[in-house]
Amino acid sequence: MARGRAGEKEEHIGLLKLAQTLSFILIFMAGIIIGLAASSHIDRYFNSLPQMLSSSSSSSSSANLQTIPDYSNCTVIHRDCSNDDDDDDGKAAKAKAKIRDCWSVDGFVRPENVSHGMRDEELFWRASMVPVKEEYPYDRVPKVAFMFLTRGPLPMRPLWEKFFRGNEKYLSVYVHTPPGYDMNVSSDSPFYNRQVPSQASFLTTLRMKVAWGSPLLTDAEKRLLANALLDFSNERFVLLSESCIPVYNFTTVYSYLINSAYSFVDSYDEPTRYGRGRYSRKMLPDIKLHHWRKGSQWFEVNRKIAIYIISDSKYYSLFKQYCRPACYPDEHYIPTLLNMFHGSVTANRSVTWVDWSIGGPHPATYGADNITEGFLQSIRKNETDCLYNEEPTSLCFLFARKFAPSALAPLMNLSSTVMGF
């Protein structure tokens, strides 16, 4: 009996060893098969790699040919190591002087004109660049950017040209006009070649004048700011309309703005249907009712604030969605945005005088019969003092609106005796 059990045990052990041997053989064979398959795939991959690279290279080259910008109007210059003293050809020297170096610092920080093919997204990205290094590698003279948002012609252009004359080193001019409008001015005018380009989609979808009170109007304001920011010498930015005039000479205006510790943005809380009544709860949680402000669209800001405005997309997208007539983004977007984040560095007032005493949705317009020395002096010397750098002053307004085209002639006559230019 014991001998039978021992035999069964030996037989069982033998079967286990046979099973182990068979398992080992199966695993070994599977490994060989997998290895051969992998080797075959690797061979095919490396054999096809040159063809793949060739195809990728050709498609990449084709894509590059489509995306390379057109630099035909700009010549890249390498360092000329020749001795200029040995060059006796005066014509060649003059031709060489006309060539523009696209990679020079001057070409980057002081664009010669405002023509470009950038879309708004590209323009705002480019304009938002801020150098970390504080020192400038060139002699920077801070300038004031005068940004005109117009619905067509500039009837006050001769007055502005007189105001600018002799001060071109300290100013830049930018004009946003309706699509298709071409300003016909002489080449010696500060307005020559100063129309900012509009985004292609803006031209195709609008096909009409900028609608006052619509998001398109605020788009135009941001586009003016962004174009002006491309010139690194622009330090202050003032928004004007075609019916605006200066009421002081350039020296006074320049000193007032450049030396101000504050930006001039009208911003106030109006607890009526024309103020808080335009707020939408759909802007929650990002914009709350106590953030909401109203103010004049004719702002003046420093460079830091200008960059902040054109860099914002989060809050502006809310205004474009939920601030629709009878809510007007041009009256609420910038006052609300700066109240939320930069209220301490704004003077909470405008430097552009407007007469709202007649009531209604539009301010008073002044023509030739209204233009007198006394009228202009009443604008220049405000009856109520304001604060300038935290000190009271009677010089509160640098510009005024609205003036009809008929007012140009008497304004030109009084500009030297009353306004000082």
Side-chain angles (χ1 to χ4, degrees):
M1 191 72 177
R3 188 175 296 174
R5 290 179 179 174
E8 290 178 0
K9 185 175 182 181
E10 288 178 0
E11 185 180 354
H12 181 68
I13 293 172
L15 289 173
L16 286 175
K17 288 183 178 180
L18 179 62
Q20 289 176 347
T21 303
L22 290 173
S23 298
F24 175 78
I25 293 172
L26 288 172
I27 293 172
F28 179 75
M29 293 299 293
I32 292 175
I33 293 171
I34 293 171
L36 289 172
S39 175
S40 175
H41 281 294
I42 291 172
D43 287 341
R44 283 201 301 271
Y45 171 76
F46 281 106
N47 287 334
S48 64
L49 186 59
Q51 184 177 357
M52 291 167 58
L53 289 175
S54 174
S55 174
S56 174
S57 175
S58 62
S59 64
S60 176
S61 299
S62 175
N64 286 338
L65 287 173
Q66 296 175 357
T67 57
I68 291 176
D70 180 14
Y71 290 117
S72 59
N73 64 341
C74 200
T75 303
V76 178
I77 301 176
H78 297 284
R79 181 177 173 84
D80 184 4
C81 299
S82 62
N83 190 346
D84 290 340
D85 295 336
D86 296 337
D87 186 5
D88 296 328
D89 191 345
K91 292 183 179 179
K94 281 186 178 181
K96 185 185 293 184
K98 289 181 181 178
I99 300 175
R100 180 168 174 78
D101 184 356
C102 293
W103 298 103
S104 69
V105 171
D106 185 67
F108 179 73
V109 301
R110 285 190 290 261
E112 283 192 342
N113 57 61
V114 296
S115 298
H116 59 75
M118 289 185 283
R119 294 177 290 107
D120 278 357
E121 294 82 359
E122 298 168 328
L123 172 64
F124 295 155
W125 177 80
R126 168 67 177 80
S128 66
M129 292 183 179
V130 180
V132 177
K133 190 174 179 62
E134 293 183 1
E135 300 83 6
Y136 291 92
Y138 65 100
D139 185 18
R140 182 180 187 263
V141 177
K143 297 191 297 185
V144 176
F146 293 85
M147 308 179 303
F148 292 85
L149 181 59
T150 78
R151 291 177 288 186
L154 275 169
M156 297 297 153
R157 179 172 54 81
L159 184 69
W160 283 105
E161 290 173 339
K162 189 177 181 182
F163 169 77
F164 292 144
R165 192 173 299 144
N167 300 288
E168 289 77 8
K169 181 180 179 181
Y170 305 100
L171 66 95
S172 302
V173 174
Y174 303 87
V175 185
H176 193 293
T177 61
Y181 180 80
D182 185 25
M183 288 184 63
N184 185 18
V185 297
S186 61
S187 59
D188 60 348
S189 170
F191 293 89
Y192 182 71
N193 276 348
R194 303 309 295 177
Q195 285 180 256
V196 302
S198 293
Q199 182 176 323
S201 61
F202 175 80
L203 293 173
T204 55
T205 57
L206 183 57
R207 296 191 180 278
M208 62 182 69
K209 294 181 179 181
V210 171
W212 296 90
S214 76
L216 292 173
L217 181 61
T218 313
D219 286 343
E221 294 175 4
K222 296 185 73 169
R223 194 174 297 118
L224 275 167
L225 270 178
N227 277 281
L229 282 166
L230 296 181
D231 188 333
F232 277 70
S233 293
N234 287 332
E235 186 61 32
R236 308 290 299 206
F237 305 79
V238 56
L239 183 67
L240 303 156
S241 74
E242 71 270 22
S243 64
C244 284
I245 66 165
V247 293
Y248 283 93
N249 61 32
F250 184 86
T251 302
T252 302
V253 171
Y254 179 84
S255 177
Y256 195 97
L257 297 179
I258 291 294
N259 295 315
S260 174
Y262 297 89
S263 293
F264 297 96
V265 179
D266 194 26
S267 178
Y268 55 91
D269 178 21
E270 182 173 311
T272 68
R273 64 188 181 98
Y274 301 109
R276 293 186 193 177
R278 296 173 176 176
Y279 170 77
S280 171
R281 293 180 60 83
K282 294 180 180 179
M283 294 184 176
L284 289 170
D286 298 304
I287 302 175
K288 300 178 175 62
L289 180 59
H290 70 267
H291 294 144
W292 192 254
R293 291 294 183 272
K294 183 181 179 181
S296 168
Q297 74 176 97
W298 310 109
F299 60 78
E300 191 283 333
V301 295
N302 62 25
R303 188 172 186 88
K304 182 178 179 180
I305 297 297
I307 292 172
Y308 181 78
I309 292 171
I310 64 102
S311 300
D312 169 59
S313 56
K314 175 181 178 180
Y315 297 96
Y316 188 45
S317 64
L318 293 174
F319 274 86
K320 294 183 92 169
Q321 282 183 275
Y322 305 119
C323 184
R324 296 281 182 171
C327 177
Y328 305 103
D330 57 292
E331 294 182 1
H332 294 280
Y333 168 60
I334 292 178
T336 299
L337 185 71
L338 297 189
N339 173 61
M340 292 173 66
F341 300 104
H342 295 280
S344 62
V345 292
T346 59
N348 196 26
R349 65 180 179 90
S350 174
V351 287
T352 300
W353 179 88
V354 186
D355 181 8
W356 289 97
S357 62
I358 61 173
H362 303 289
T365 300
Y366 292 93
D369 295 339
N370 306 112
I371 309 305
T372 64
E373 181 175 344
F375 171 66
L376 294 176
Q377 291 292 11
S378 68
I379 299 173
R380 286 161 52 89
K381 299 297 181 183
N382 194 32
E383 294 179 359
T384 305
D385 285 352
C386 58
L387 292 179
Y388 177 79
N389 289 344
E390 301 182 6
E391 296 291 333
T393 178
S394 61
L395 202 168
C396 301
F397 299 109
L398 305 177
F399 314 102
R401 65 184 301 267
K402 301 173 55 173
F403 290 86
S406 64
L408 177 61
L411 286 170
M412 293 289 285
N413 293 334
L414 291 171
S415 63
S416 57
T417 56
V418 178
M419 297 179 281
F421 62 89

